[in-house]
Amino acid sequence: MSYFGLKVVTSRKFWDAAKMVYPRCGQIASLLSYRFMSQAKEPPLTAERYQVSRLPYSEVSVDDVQYFQKIIPGRVVTEEGELKVHNIDWLRTVRGHSKVLLKPQTTEEVSQILKYCNERGLAVTPQGGNTSLVGGSVPVFDEILISTALMDQVISFDDVSGALVCQAGCVLESLNQYLGERSYTMPLDLGAKGSCHIGGNLATNAGGLRLLRYGSLRGTVLGLEAVLPDGSILNCLNSLRKDNTGYDLKQLFIGSEGTLGIITALSIICPRKPSAVNVALLGCEDFSRVLQVFTLCRDQLGEILSACEFMDSESMRIVQKHLKLINPLPDNAFYVLVETSGSCGKHDEEKLDIFLEKAMDSGFVTSGTVATDQGKIMSLWALRERITEALAHDGYVYKYDLSMPVEKLYALVEEIRTRLGSSAQCVVGYGHLGDGNLHLNITAKSHSDALMSALEPFVYEWTSKHSGSISAEHGLGFKKRDHIYYSKSRGAVHIMQQIKRMLDPKGIMNPYKTIPPTD
Amino acid sequence: MSYFGLKVVTSRKFWDAAKMVYPRCGQIASLLSYRFMSQAKEPPLTAERYQVSRLPYSEVSVDDVQYFQKIIPGRVVTEEGELKVHNIDWLRTVRGHSKVLLKPQTTEEVSQILKYCNERGLAVTPQGGNTSLVGGSVPVFDEILISTALMDQVISFDDVSGALVCQAGCVLESLNQYLGERSYTMPLDLGAKGSCHIGGNLATNAGGLRLLRYGSLRGTVLGLEAVLPDGSILNCLNSLRKDNTGYDLKQLFIGSEGTLGIITALSIICPRKPSAVNVALLGCEDFSRVLQVFTLCRDQLGEILSACEFMDSESMRIVQKHLKLINPLPDNAFYVLVETSGSCGKHDEEKLDIFLEKAMDSGFVTSGTVATDQGKIMSLWALRERITEALAHDGYVYKYDLSMPVEKLYALVEEIRTRLGSSAQCVVGYGHLGDGNLHLNITAKSHSDALMSALEPFVYEWTSKHSGSISAEHGLGFKKRDHIYYSKSRGAVHIMQQIKRMLDPKGIMNPYKTIPPTD
């Protein structure tokens, strides 16, 4: 079935891309997850569940679709069946009803599309791998979807400097493989690496698992190219490590969640692939010991520490239950996953041994296991990386991605557990210790307004009281837009609104998201 | 003498600050430099040398000064003698004629000052340590100087996370000492550390010597507080490593050179102080070998490499001649300074030994010396850090701070040497290999229009042709503002102009600098 009765050519490439909208964690194909998702019931329309009103944008007409067909022949999707997966988020919590998905291959095509949409007053939603956890990558109503799936070319790689230049639709894991063959690695890594697009990573300022070691995208991204809402192309695509000539415009697009323009290409500095990687999984009795392990590993492992993650016993239970993963250290209240990456295996192992000995001797750790071969390293990482996926199997997920002083990190999880009692199916806490980033997740059989009222604004107020951020790395998207004031002052939001108006006066870019409307 | 006949209290603190406007390199007191500077002839007024016209801002009146005295009693400087050092840049190449310098201690005071200046249409120039090399920190005409010298308090330090919160006027070296006592270190370091203020470092997005290891300020700065031109206080002063709630406004102020507001406080993530530091100085026959040393040290030293600098024989000659420093490796065409910082001295020395052996065996290096004790490390660093200071003793300095692909880095120096022949006293090239950042400096007896014409636009055109940046880390300031188009597109500059107009509609903040006026 097609909304407009136009014949649409569906290339093999498109099907590949369509499958990829489900995160694969690392190289572990989560077919289970794929089947689960495709059989599940459709969520209600966002407009109904969240009671939002459509803004007065134009509606897509047959003429519009014909125009798009002229610009990108064979790459205009109007089939309802094909569109479905792009209208629903990966968590299946929001649903739009876009009637057109466009698949440009070049920046010039994106430019022509946006110029037309801006003139016609048509709203658009950019979409990468559609792995947003805050409803940022699907339309709220009938916004035109602009997918970066076919913009997946590496433009250049400089093996002296490590600067990679590529299109926005490259899948993070593919880039990492490309670089791995050249003895380099991407400076970011996250659970959704098998699906997420690097353009989406930039648009959401993705954090992930390597931030502790390589820093944020704000430091590693060297340049980018973006198409502005009026179709003009902003070329800031240089590959220089230092460039202080005027305001750093690329920073505006990093983390603006597609509300200011579409990132079409980027340049990023990539570190050498470490020649030695070790992973230790450690069991702790309580959260105060988790913190002691964190301090000790930072002191002892110094420059080779590349990740320090924690998870509680509920997180561990959930990956065992739904994904049948094996926990090598049963019966611990908490787990810490420590990764080292370095240039000399012997030195790294010596440092790790000293750390582990101290951690055991001090009673911080009750049991532990160390992996040095790739297979075992991946099994240990899966226990942490696949929690999101396991939670999605458990029921409707209420997701919170918070940052705060590391000492406070687990107190909120305990408080929520007490507060909700048996009304929640499961309350889990895990996250990035090194970054003070807690992923608090609550599951229930289905969405319920009562549970939502017990959670919000409580979680946000608690976070705000402890000077935390209500969105550490997921962004605000559709779901958290109006909660921005818990983390940002009215003055700051006012400036954001001015910037939005300046670059997107008609408000066509990813509307209803990230920046609340002016009072 | 006082411009307005008002009594001004000059505290001891002010004299300390006044002395500090001359960079001290590391802990080596450059008294020689101080004497040289204070005895030197005044440069001509900027307005005359550069033929610029004053914009129609209000002129400071006796009433204005009286108002300032009310807000910050005893901290309004109007004495011509005292003002002199604040009206002239450290290089003594530009000179303004401001009649008032204000020394607020709090954000609230800065807010009151700017609110008043904005209402009155009075232009202002923020000033930190006044170490700008592009005329960014002195007035062009009679702009009111707002100094951060008395805003020098550490607000808090979290010794678990390493987050330091402080006022903008803290001197970089003092912060490093403060952190050193707590086993932490600043993530940036530069030659002017003894004078420059951290607020100025942020305002200019200073790069420096540790960027290779700890990344740029865009990644390490966690938050900041700024006063906008209308006096409103923008508080983005959080200490979280991750915060994706809306556009990252702090990035607008980092690198905007005081043209959008005054940074009053900031929060920065600081790494642990490395327990082992080694420095090697190596001599190379030619620049191709310098590049080979760079690639080898990156591969061999990996995560412990903390700096990789190069200098040519002319740089070495100039520090020997003017500062009487001793070159331990005479008669090399090029020098590479390699620094390692790590958590285990034994491991680091092993890695360094293997690297040095390979560098010698491959013929990349002809001679070398290694320092492990603090005194010798500082002597080797002085050879690189004090080049700027030595050049200032050599005569009038034409300064270029360029970034480009590392392979091209020295070709320009050679071309300039040929191009200028005997019309230049000295042409030197040195810089940060790891960042592709060349400092090209030409000295002559005095400023000459003929020499300037031989240099510009040639240097900029050459840099632009090789996809480089015409200001890698110094910023544009007054001197390079109109050259922005060599590195940025008209579209990009147009957006910068819109941002400037949005935040500073009356254009009172640091005028004549960084962003060229609309055509």
Side-chain angles (χ1 to χ4, degrees):
Chain A
M1 180 194 164
S2 158
Y3 279 111
F4 297 98
L6 292 168
K7 190 173 170 263
V8 177
V9 178
T10 307
S11 67
R12 202 192 142 270
K13 204 161 183 183
F14 168 65
W15 281 110
D16 288 348
K19 261 190 283 179
M20 289 198 322
V21 301
Y22 300 104
R24 286 179 292 123
C25 291
Q27 286 152 344
I28 307 156
S30 58
L31 281 170
L32 180 69
S33 167
Y34 180 68
R35 275 190 218 115
F36 164 79
M37 293 299 168
S38 39
Q39 286 158 12
K41 223 180 79 201
E42 270 187 5
L45 282 172
T46 304
E48 288 164 14
R49 176 176 278 173
Y50 291 89
Q51 299 287 307
V52 270
S53 303
R54 188 179 181 284
L55 292 170
Y57 299 108
S58 303
E59 288 188 35
V60 185
S61 69
V62 175
D63 285 353
D64 295 330
V65 175
Q66 275 171 344
Y67 179 82
F68 294 136
Q69 281 284 16
K70 252 187 256 163
I71 305 176
I72 48 167
R75 289 176 278 126
V76 179
V77 179
T78 55
E79 281 287 324
E80 200 178 348
E82 284 180 39
L83 283 167
K84 194 182 271 182
V85 78
H86 298 277
N87 267 314
I88 301 175
D89 68 322
W90 178 80
L91 283 173
R92 307 186 70 78
T93 52
V94 286
R95 179 159 71 93
H97 48 86
S98 177
K99 294 182 173 61
V100 190
L101 174 122
L102 307 176
K103 296 165 77 74
Q105 285 176 324
T106 65
T107 304
E108 195 44 56
E109 287 172 355
V110 176
S111 163
Q112 282 178 272
I113 292 166
L114 282 189
K115 185 170 186 293
Y116 180 84
C117 291
N118 195 50
E119 280 166 7
R120 276 272 296 124
L122 290 161
V124 304
T125 295
Q127 191 174 81
N130 195 12
T131 60
S132 172
L133 300 173
V134 289
S137 55
V138 293
V140 176
F141 294 92
D142 58 344
E143 297 87 88
I144 292 174
L145 275 158
I146 303 179
S147 166
T148 49
L150 301 186
M151 302 182 74
D152 60 354
Q153 301 299 304
V154 169
I155 298 166
S156 68
F157 178 65
D158 181 333
D159 64 5
V160 175
S161 70
L164 171 77
V165 184
C166 67
Q167 283 190 298
C170 292
V171 171
L172 178 57
E173 192 172 53
S174 311
L175 288 177
N176 209 41
Q177 277 164 4
Y178 173 92
L179 289 170
E181 290 158 15
R182 288 154 182 84
S183 302
Y184 278 85
T185 188
M186 285 296 282
L188 84 158
D189 186 22
L190 50 153
K193 67 185 109 182
S195 309
C196 63
H197 294 189
I198 186 70
N201 294 150
L202 261 68
T204 56
N205 189 29
L209 308 162
R210 290 183 188 161
L211 189 130
L212 180 67
R213 175 65 170 273
Y214 301 116
S216 88
L217 288 172
R218 301 207 173 271
T220 54
V221 172
L222 302 176
L224 60 75
E225 177 194 70
V227 178
L228 303 181
D230 67 0
S232 59
I233 299 167
L234 177 69
N235 184 350
C236 299
L237 194 58
N238 81 41
S239 291
L240 303 163
R241 284 208 71 168
K242 287 177 172 173
D243 176 25
N244 279 349
T245 52
Y247 308 153
D248 190 4
L249 297 181
K250 69 172 181 286
Q251 301 292 345
L252 275 179
F253 296 88
I254 299 175
S256 64
E257 305 185 43
T259 61
L260 298 178
I262 298 186
I263 297 170
T264 46
L266 56 114
S267 156
I268 188 165
I269 188 86
C270 302
R272 298 293 271 187
K273 190 178 171 179
S275 54
V277 175
N278 298 294
V279 171
L281 183 73
L282 309 169
C284 298
E285 262 175 51
D286 53 38
F287 194 71
S288 70
R289 286 185 172 81
V290 168
L291 292 178
Q292 285 168 312
V293 170
F294 170 53
T295 305
L296 185 69
C297 79
R298 230 183 26 170
D299 289 352
Q300 294 294 318
L301 300 173
E303 66 279 4
I304 63 165
L305 181 64
S306 53
C308 186
E309 303 282 314
F310 89 99
M311 37 208 151
D312 62 7
S313 57
E314 274 297 90
S315 311
M316 199 56 107
R317 187 179 67 76
I318 222 94
V319 291
Q320 290 174 275
K321 181 176 171 192
H322 295 290
L323 307 176
K324 312 293 174 216
L325 301 188
I326 291 156
N327 174 6
L329 310 172
D331 304 324
N332 281 285
F334 290 92
Y335 298 86
V336 180
L337 187 149
V338 172
E339 186 192 74
T340 67
S341 308
S343 59
C344 173
K346 188 174 139 273
H347 289 169
D348 294 3
E349 279 173 37
E350 274 179 37
K351 288 186 179 98
L352 191 61
D353 286 348
I354 295 171
F355 157 67
L356 290 172
E357 212 177 287
K358 287 197 178 179
M360 288 287 190
D361 289 352
S362 321
F364 300 163
V365 160
T366 45
S367 57
T369 178
V370 177
T372 49
D373 74 279
Q374 187 57 14
K376 207 173 160 213
I377 285 175
M378 282 173 61
S379 308
L380 291 184
W381 261 118
L383 293 167
R384 163 66 189 83
E385 280 196 292
R386 298 185 70 189
I387 300 172
T388 306
E389 185 189 345
L391 284 163
H393 289 277
D394 203 59
Y396 185 90
V397 192
Y398 301 82
K399 282 199 113 54
Y400 300 95
D401 161 42
L402 315 162
S403 69
M404 57 189 81
V406 73
E407 311 85 55
K408 308 279 181 203
L409 220 56
Y410 204 71
L412 177 61
V413 184
E414 286 165 337
E415 215 165 311
I416 288 290
R417 216 166 258 152
T418 312
R419 186 177 169 86
L420 299 184
S422 62
S423 64
Q425 194 162 285
C426 168
V427 176
V428 312
Y430 62 97
H432 315 284
L433 266 183
D435 317 325
N437 185 183
L438 168 72
H439 294 303
L440 164 68
N441 287 256
I442 298 97
T443 64
K445 277 210 184 82
S446 59
H447 180 269
S448 124
D449 288 341
L451 197 56
M452 190 61 128
S453 310
L455 284 166
E456 298 181 17
F458 180 80
V459 170
Y460 300 128
E461 283 170 355
W462 197 99
T463 306
S464 183
K465 199 174 74 191
H466 293 92
S467 311
S469 167
I470 63 116
S471 184
E473 57 176 10
H474 292 173
L476 297 168
F478 168 73
K479 291 193 200 165
K480 318 242 158 170
R481 181 190 74 171
D482 296 330
H483 306 310
I484 191 171
Y485 298 104
Y486 287 105
S487 289
K488 292 287 152 72
S489 69
R490 297 224 161 242
V493 175
H494 177 66
I495 295 176
M496 295 179 201
Q497 289 163 335
Q498 284 180 287
I499 293 171
K500 169 77 178 168
R501 248 196 321 275
M502 186 184 93
L503 289 176
D504 183 20
K506 290 189 172 179
I508 64 160
M509 288 302 312
N510 218 7
Y512 320 104
K513 292 169 192 163
T514 313
I515 307 297
T518 320
D519 293 336
Chain B
M1 181 190 164
S2 158
Y3 280 110
F4 297 97
L6 293 166
K7 191 175 168 263
V8 178
V9 177
T10 307
S11 68
R12 203 190 142 272
K13 203 163 182 181
F14 168 67
W15 280 111
D16 288 349
K19 260 189 284 180
M20 288 198 319
V21 300
Y22 301 103
R24 285 179 294 121
C25 291
Q27 287 153 345
I28 307 155
S30 58
L31 281 171
L32 180 68
S33 167
Y34 180 68
R35 275 190 218 116
F36 164 78
M37 294 298 168
S38 39
Q39 285 157 12
K41 221 180 81 202
E42 271 188 2
L45 282 172
T46 304
E48 288 163 15
R49 175 177 277 173
Y50 292 89
Q51 298 287 308
V52 272
S53 302
R54 188 180 181 280
L55 292 170
Y57 299 109
S58 303
E59 288 188 35
V60 185
S61 68
V62 175
D63 285 354
D64 295 330
V65 175
Q66 274 170 345
Y67 179 83
F68 295 135
Q69 281 284 19
K70 251 186 256 165
I71 305 176
I72 49 167
R75 289 176 277 125
V76 179
V77 179
T78 55
E79 280 288 325
E80 199 178 350
E82 285 181 37
L83 284 167
K84 194 182 274 184
V85 78
H86 298 277
N87 267 315
I88 301 176
D89 68 323
W90 178 79
L91 282 173
R92 308 185 71 76
T93 53
V94 286
R95 179 159 69 94
H97 49 86
S98 177
K99 295 184 173 59
V100 190
L101 175 124
L102 307 176
K103 297 165 78 74
Q105 285 176 322
T106 66
T107 304
E108 195 44 57
E109 288 172 354
V110 176
S111 163
Q112 282 178 272
I113 292 166
L114 282 189
K115 184 170 186 292
Y116 180 83
C117 290
N118 196 49
E119 281 166 6
R120 275 273 294 125
L122 289 161
V124 305
T125 296
Q127 190 174 81
N130 195 13
T131 60
S132 173
L133 300 174
V134 289
S137 55
V138 292
V140 176
F141 293 93
D142 58 343
E143 298 88 86
I144 291 173
L145 275 157
I146 303 179
S147 166
T148 50
L150 300 186
M151 301 183 74
D152 60 354
Q153 301 299 304
V154 168
I155 297 166
S156 69
F157 177 66
D158 180 332
D159 65 4
V160 175
S161 69
L164 171 78
V165 184
C166 67
Q167 283 190 297
C170 292
V171 171
L172 178 57
E173 193 172 53
S174 312
L175 289 177
N176 209 43
Q177 278 163 4
Y178 173 92
L179 290 169
E181 290 158 15
R182 288 151 183 88
S183 301
Y184 279 84
T185 188
M186 285 296 281
L188 84 157
D189 185 22
L190 50 153
K193 68 185 110 184
S195 310
C196 62
H197 294 188
I198 187 70
N201 295 150
L202 262 67
T204 56
N205 188 30
L209 307 161
R210 289 182 188 161
L211 189 130
L212 180 68
R213 174 65 169 274
Y214 301 117
S216 88
L217 288 171
R218 301 207 172 270
T220 53
V221 173
L222 302 176
L224 59 76
E225 177 192 69
V227 178
L228 303 182
D230 67 0
S232 60
I233 298 167
L234 177 69
N235 184 351
C236 300
L237 195 57
N238 81 43
S239 291
L240 304 163
R241 285 208 69 167
K242 287 176 172 174
D243 176 26
N244 279 349
T245 51
Y247 309 153
D248 190 3
L249 297 181
K250 70 172 180 285
Q251 300 293 343
L252 275 180
F253 296 88
I254 299 175
S256 63
E257 306 184 43
T259 61
L260 299 177
I262 297 185
I263 297 170
T264 46
L266 55 114
S267 156
I268 188 165
I269 188 85
C270 302
R272 298 291 272 188
K273 189 178 172 179
S275 54
V277 176
N278 297 294
V279 170
L281 183 73
L282 309 169
C284 298
E285 261 173 53
D286 53 38
F287 194 69
S288 71
R289 286 184 171 83
V290 168
L291 292 177
Q292 285 168 314
V293 170
F294 170 53
T295 305
L296 185 69
C297 79
R298 230 184 25 173
D299 290 353
Q300 294 293 318
L301 301 173
E303 65 279 3
I304 62 165
L305 180 64
S306 53
C308 186
E309 303 282 312
F310 90 99
M311 39 210 149
D312 61 7
S313 56
E314 275 296 271
S315 311
M316 198 57 105
R317 187 180 66 77
I318 220 94
V319 290
Q320 291 174 273
K321 180 178 171 190
H322 295 291
L323 307 175
K324 311 294 173 217
L325 302 187
I326 291 156
N327 174 7
L329 312 171
D331 304 324
N332 282 284
F334 290 93
Y335 298 86
V336 179
L337 188 149
V338 172
E339 187 191 74
T340 67
S341 308
S343 59
C344 173
K346 189 175 137 276
H347 290 168
D348 293 3
E349 280 173 37
E350 275 179 38
K351 288 187 179 97
L352 191 61
D353 285 349
I354 295 171
F355 156 67
L356 291 172
E357 212 175 288
K358 287 198 179 180
M360 287 286 189
D361 289 352
S362 321
F364 299 163
V365 159
T366 44
S367 57
T369 178
V370 177
T372 48
D373 75 277
Q374 187 58 12
K376 207 172 161 216
I377 285 175
M378 282 173 62
S379 308
L380 291 184
W381 262 118
L383 293 167
R384 162 66 189 82
E385 281 195 292
R386 297 185 72 189
I387 301 172
T388 306
E389 185 189 345
L391 284 163
H393 289 277
D394 203 57
Y396 185 90
V397 192
Y398 300 83
K399 282 198 113 56
Y400 299 95
D401 162 43
L402 314 163
S403 70
M404 57 189 82
V406 73
E407 309 84 57
K408 308 279 180 204
L409 218 56
Y410 204 70
L412 176 61
V413 183
E414 285 165 337
E415 218 165 310
I416 288 291
R417 215 166 261 152
T418 312
R419 188 178 168 85
L420 300 183
S422 61
S423 64
Q425 192 161 287
C426 167
V427 176
V428 313
Y430 62 97
H432 316 284
L433 266 183
D435 317 325
N437 186 183
L438 168 72
H439 294 303
L440 164 67
N441 287 256
I442 297 97
T443 64
K445 279 211 182 82
S446 60
H447 180 270
S448 124
D449 288 342
L451 197 56
M452 191 60 130
S453 311
L455 284 165
E456 296 181 17
F458 180 81
V459 169
Y460 300 128
E461 284 171 355
W462 197 99
T463 305
S464 183
K465 198 174 76 191
H466 293 92
S467 311
S469 167
I470 64 116
S471 183
E473 59 176 10
H474 291 173
L476 296 170
F478 168 74
K479 291 193 201 167
K480 319 244 158 170
R481 180 190 76 170
D482 296 330
H483 305 311
I484 192 171
Y485 298 104
Y486 287 105
S487 290
K488 291 288 152 69
S489 68
R490 296 223 161 242
V493 176
H494 177 64
I495 295 176
M496 295 178 201
Q497 289 163 336
Q498 282 180 287
I499 294 171
K500 169 76 179 169
R501 249 197 320 274
M502 185 184 95
L503 289 176
D504 183 19
K506 289 190 173 179
I508 65 160
M509 288 302 312
N510 218 7
Y512 319 102
K513 292 169 192 163
T514 312
I515 308 296
T518 320
D519 294 334

Coordinates of all heavy atoms in Angstrom, one line a residue, chain A residues 292-320:
Chain A
Q292 N 34.6 3.1 46.1 CA 36.0 2.9 46.5 C 36.8 2.2 45.3 O 38.0 2.5 45.1 CB 36.1 2.1 47.8 CG 35.8 2.9 49.0 CD 35.6 2.1 50.3 OE1 34.9 1.1 50.2 NE2 36.2 2.5 51.3
V293 N 36.2 1.3 44.7 CA 36.8 0.6 43.5 C 37.1 1.7 42.4 O 38.1 1.7 41.8 CB 35.9 -0.5 43.0 CG1 36.4 -1.0 41.6 CG2 35.8 -1.6 43.9
F294 N 36.1 2.6 42.2 CA 36.3 3.6 41.2 C 37.5 4.5 41.5 O 38.4 4.7 40.6 CB 35.0 4.4 41.1 CG 35.2 5.7 40.3 CD1 35.6 5.6 39.0 CD2 34.8 6.9 40.8 CE1 35.8 6.7 38.2 CE2 34.9 8.1 40.0 CZ 35.4 8.0 38.7
T295 N 37.6 5.0 42.7 CA 38.7 5.8 43.1 C 40.0 5.0 42.9 O 41.0 5.6 42.4 CB 38.6 6.3 44.5 OG1 37.3 7.0 44.6 CG2 39.6 7.3 44.9
L296 N 40.0 3.8 43.4 CA 41.3 3.0 43.3 C 41.7 2.7 41.9 O 42.9 2.9 41.6 CB 41.1 1.7 44.1 CG 42.3 0.8 44.2 CD1 43.3 1.4 45.1 CD2 41.9 -0.6 44.7
C297 N 40.7 2.4 41.0 CA 41.1 2.1 39.7 C 41.6 3.3 38.9 O 42.5 3.2 38.1 CB 40.1 1.3 38.9 SG 38.7 2.2 38.3
R298 N 41.1 4.5 39.2 CA 41.5 5.7 38.6 C 43.0 6.0 39.0 O 43.8 6.4 38.2 CB 40.6 6.8 39.0 CG 40.2 7.6 37.8 CD 39.3 8.8 38.2 NE 39.7 9.2 39.6 CZ 39.2 10.3 40.1 NH1 38.4 11.1 39.5 NH2 39.6 10.6 41.4
D299 N 43.2 5.8 40.3 CA 44.6 6.0 40.8 C 45.6 5.0 40.3 O 46.7 5.4 39.9 CB 44.6 6.0 42.3 CG 43.9 7.2 42.9 OD1 43.5 8.1 42.1 OD2 43.7 7.3 44.1
Q300 N 45.2 3.8 40.3 CA 46.2 2.7 39.9 C 46.3 2.5 38.4 O 47.4 2.2 37.9 CB 45.7 1.4 40.5 CG 45.8 1.4 42.1 CD 47.2 1.5 42.6 OE1 48.1 0.9 42.1 NE2 47.4 2.3 43.6
L301 N 45.3 2.7 37.7 CA 45.3 2.4 36.2 C 45.6 3.7 35.4 O 46.0 3.6 34.2 CB 44.0 1.7 35.8 CG 43.8 0.4 36.5 CD1 42.4 -0.2 36.2 CD2 44.8 -0.6 36.2
G302 N 45.4 4.8 36.0 CA 45.7 6.1 35.4 C 45.4 6.2 33.9 O 44.2 6.0 33.5
E303 N 46.4 6.4 33.1 CA 46.2 6.6 31.6 C 45.7 5.4 30.8 O 45.3 5.6 29.7 CB 47.5 7.2 31.0 CG 48.7 6.2 31.0 CD 49.5 6.1 32.3 OE1 49.0 6.7 33.3 OE2 50.5 5.3 32.4
I304 N 45.8 4.2 31.4 CA 45.3 3.1 30.6 C 43.8 2.7 31.0 O 43.2 1.9 30.3 CB 46.1 1.8 30.8 CG1 46.1 1.3 32.3 CG2 47.6 2.0 30.3 CD1 46.7 -0.2 32.4
L305 N 43.2 3.4 31.9 CA 41.8 3.2 32.2 C 40.9 3.7 31.1 O 41.0 4.8 30.7 CB 41.4 3.9 33.5 CG 40.0 3.7 34.0 CD1 39.7 2.3 34.4 CD2 39.7 4.6 35.2
S306 N 40.1 2.8 30.5 CA 39.3 3.3 29.4 C 37.8 3.2 29.6 O 37.0 3.7 28.9 CB 39.7 2.5 28.1 OG 39.6 1.1 28.2
A307 N 37.4 2.4 30.6 CA 36.0 2.4 31.0 C 35.8 2.0 32.5 O 36.6 1.1 32.9 CB 35.2 1.5 30.1
C308 N 34.9 2.6 33.1 CA 34.6 2.1 34.5 C 33.0 2.2 34.6 O 32.5 3.3 34.8 CB 35.3 3.0 35.5 SG 35.1 2.4 37.2
E309 N 32.4 1.1 34.5 CA 30.9 1.0 34.5 C 30.4 0.3 35.7 O 31.1 -0.6 36.3 CB 30.5 0.2 33.2 CG 31.0 0.8 31.9 CD 30.2 2.0 31.5 OE1 29.0 1.9 31.5 OE2 30.8 3.0 31.1
F310 N 29.2 0.6 36.1 CA 28.6 -0.2 37.2 C 27.2 -0.7 36.9 O 26.5 -0.1 36.0 CB 28.6 0.6 38.5 CG 27.4 1.4 38.7 CD1 26.3 0.9 39.6 CD2 27.2 2.6 38.1 CE1 25.2 1.7 39.7 CE2 26.1 3.4 38.3 CZ 25.1 2.9 39.1
M311 N 26.8 -1.8 37.5 CA 25.4 -2.2 37.4 C 25.0 -2.9 38.7 O 25.8 -3.4 39.4 CB 25.3 -3.2 36.2 CG 26.4 -4.1 36.1 SD 26.7 -4.7 34.4 CE 28.5 -5.0 34.4
D312 N 23.7 -2.8 38.9 CA 23.2 -3.4 40.2 C 22.7 -4.8 39.9 O 22.7 -5.3 38.8 CB 22.1 -2.5 40.8 CG 20.9 -2.4 40.0 OD1 20.8 -3.0 38.9 OD2 20.0 -1.6 40.4
S313 N 22.4 -5.5 41.0 CA 22.0 -7.0 40.8 C 20.7 -7.1 39.9 O 20.6 -8.1 39.3 CB 21.8 -7.6 42.2 OG 20.8 -6.9 42.9
E314 N 19.9 -6.1 40.0 CA 18.7 -6.2 39.2 C 19.0 -6.1 37.7 O 18.4 -6.8 36.8 CB 17.7 -5.0 39.5 CG 16.8 -5.3 40.7 CD 15.8 -6.5 40.4 OE1 16.2 -7.6 40.7 OE2 14.7 -6.2 39.9
S315 N 20.0 -5.3 37.3 CA 20.4 -5.2 35.9 C 20.9 -6.6 35.5 O 20.6 -7.1 34.4 CB 21.6 -4.2 35.7 OG 21.3 -3.0 36.3
M316 N 21.7 -7.2 36.4 CA 22.3 -8.5 36.1 C 21.2 -9.6 35.9 O 21.2 -10.4 35.0 CB 23.2 -8.9 37.2 CG 24.2 -9.9 36.8 SD 25.2 -9.5 35.4 CE 26.8 -9.2 36.1
R317 N 20.2 -9.5 36.8 CA 19.1 -10.4 36.8 C 18.3 -10.3 35.4 O 18.0 -11.3 34.8 CB 18.1 -10.2 37.9 CG 17.0 -11.2 38.1 CD 16.0 -10.9 39.2 NE 15.3 -9.7 39.0 CZ 14.2 -9.6 38.3 NH1 13.7 -10.6 37.6 NH2 13.5 -8.4 38.2
I318 N 18.1 -9.1 34.9 CA 17.3 -8.9 33.8 C 18.0 -9.3 32.5 O 17.4 -9.9 31.6 CB 16.9 -7.4 33.7 CG1 15.5 -7.2 33.3 CG2 17.8 -6.5 32.9 CD1 14.5 -7.2 34.4
V319 N 19.4 -9.2 32.4 CA 20.1 -9.7 31.2 C 20.1 -11.2 31.2 O 20.2 -11.9 30.2 CB 21.5 -9.1 31.0 CG1 21.4 -7.7 30.6 CG2 22.4 -9.3 32.2
Q320 N 20.2 -11.8 32.4 CA 20.1 -13.3 32.5 C 18.8 -13.8 32.1 O 18.7 -14.8 31.4 CB 20.5 -13.7 34.0 CG 21.9 -13.4 34.4 CD 22.2 -13.7 35.9 OE1 21.9 -12.9 36.7 NE2 22.6 -15.0 36.1

